[in-house]
Amino acid sequence: EYVSRDGDIIYIRSLQNSECVDQFIVAVHHGYKKAMYESLTIKFDQSIQGVYPNAVVPIAGLIDFFRREKKLSIEGKSYDPNLQAILTPYELPTHKENLSHALNKIWKFQNGSDVYEIQTAIVNELRRTDVFAAGVLEGIEWSINEIMDNVLNHSQSPCGFIMGQLHKSSKHVVFTIYDAGIGIYNSLKGSIHAPRNNADALTMCIKAGITRDKKVGQGNGMNGLFSLVQEGSGRLVITSERDSYVYVNGNATIKT
């Protein structure tokens, strides 16, 4: 068990995979819905080693959501800046000086200027840190920009969260983008594409030209990202509500 609750204290013991997120949601839900706590405290285990985007970015976004929408007090403190950023993500312009080392940080973005500055900083650091084949960084930059724009244009959430990492040993660039918005199905269900359910919307969203409104976007962001992952033999996970679209090793599955 990676995340558990004892009274009004939520204990986090690991942040190495997305299962932490599900357990965190359960812990918070039971704390404020069932036990009726109005304030929760997060305590990080001292044994936590790796901090991975697919765990910490959604948790940071969920904490922001529960504070903002549910008026729930969630506090905590860690002397490790990577853990403290889960509770207080980096923002612009407050943390503008941190853009020189934008990787391995959870960033909160709220407008187009934030998107431009953060994705530019991430790509510039990748360029300084390692050597990439022609076109790879341009593809990563375009994809990050498109998905961050999707959050602002379609999610109906006032903000989004992103974190990028470079794993030199395995030659992988990893990033997670999260929002606590209406979800892909709710965004598309009123469009001409009219997905039947959430799983259908997840399968549909990676196809070219799929968008809620052509006046807002052309629907090429998710498709472009998917094409980049395909070409690079990478891994893509798109989660909306309780379902996930998972593409790895050339195979696509829907997990519910």
Side-chain angles (χ1 to χ4, degrees):
E1 193 172 40
Y2 305 120
V3 181
S4 62
R5 180 184 64 86
D6 184 6
D8 62 349
I9 299 176
I10 294 177
Y11 294 93
I12 298 180
R13 300 178 179 86
S14 174
L15 290 162
Q16 295 197 359
N17 61 59
S18 58
E19 288 182 37
C20 308
V21 181
D22 295 333
Q23 293 178 14
F24 180 79
I25 292 171
V26 171
V28 174
H29 180 78
H30 286 180
Y32 95 96
K33 275 284 190 179
K34 294 188 176 181
M36 304 295 290
Y37 288 107
E38 295 181 355
S39 177
L40 296 172
T41 299
I42 293 178
K43 290 196 173 181
F44 299 101
D45 197 289
Q46 292 184 346
S47 64
I48 292 176
Q49 296 294 323
V51 174
Y52 291 84
N54 64 340
V56 298
V57 175
I59 290 176
L62 286 162
I63 289 172
D64 179 87
F65 170 80
F66 284 118
R67 286 170 173 166
R68 174 170 36 86
E69 298 293 335
K70 305 300 181 182
K71 310 305 179 188
L72 178 65
S73 173
I74 301 178
E75 303 301 330
K77 187 172 182 62
S78 174
Y79 292 105
D80 183 334
N82 290 324
L83 299 179
Q84 186 60 34
I86 298 171
L87 296 159
T88 52
Y90 291 84
E91 294 186 58
L92 296 175
T94 307
H95 299 103
K96 192 175 179 67
E97 72 277 6
N98 295 102
L99 283 172
S100 59
H101 293 90
L103 292 173
N104 301 302
K105 291 179 174 65
I106 305 169
W107 291 92
K108 179 179 179 178
F109 59 92
Q110 301 176 78
N111 53 56
S113 176
D114 289 353
V115 170
Y116 174 76
E117 290 198 60
I118 293 168
Q119 57 93 4
T120 299
I122 287 173
V123 172
N124 284 344
E125 186 172 352
L126 289 172
R127 184 175 287 111
R128 292 195 310 267
T129 308
D130 211 343
V131 178
F132 293 83
V136 171
L137 285 178
E138 289 78 5
I140 292 172
E141 183 174 25
W142 181 85
S143 297
I144 292 174
N145 183 71
E146 287 288 318
I147 305 307
M148 292 173 77
D149 274 346
N150 278 357
V151 170
L152 299 180
N153 291 328
H154 303 295
S155 74
Q156 295 184 25
S157 174
C159 61
F161 300 81
I162 181 173
M163 178 180 182
Q165 287 182 337
L166 172 63
H167 297 175
K168 277 191 172 184
S169 58
S170 61
K171 298 186 182 298
H172 279 90
V173 173
V174 179
F175 62 87
T176 295
I177 298 171
Y178 175 87
D179 68 77
I182 61 174
I184 294 173
Y185 171 67
N186 288 324
S187 178
L188 291 176
K189 69 179 182 181
S191 70
I192 60 172
H193 310 292
R196 296 165 296 173
N197 49 45
N198 197 49
D200 190 32
L202 282 168
T203 305
M204 186 180 290
C205 75
I206 60 168
K207 297 178 180 178
I210 302 296
T211 183
R212 173 180 62 86
D213 185 350
K214 285 285 188 182
K215 296 176 183 176
V216 178
Q218 296 302 305
N220 294 322
M222 295 292 278
N223 175 254
L225 175 60
F226 178 64
S227 299
L228 187 68
V229 171
Q230 275 187 310
E231 188 173 336
S233 300
R235 181 174 184 265
L236 175 66
V237 180
I238 307 169
T239 299
S240 184
E241 296 184 18
R242 295 182 178 273
D243 303 323
S244 294
Y245 173 93
V246 181
Y247 176 88
V248 60
N249 296 326
N251 298 311
T253 56
I254 296 287
K255 293 186 178 182
T256 58

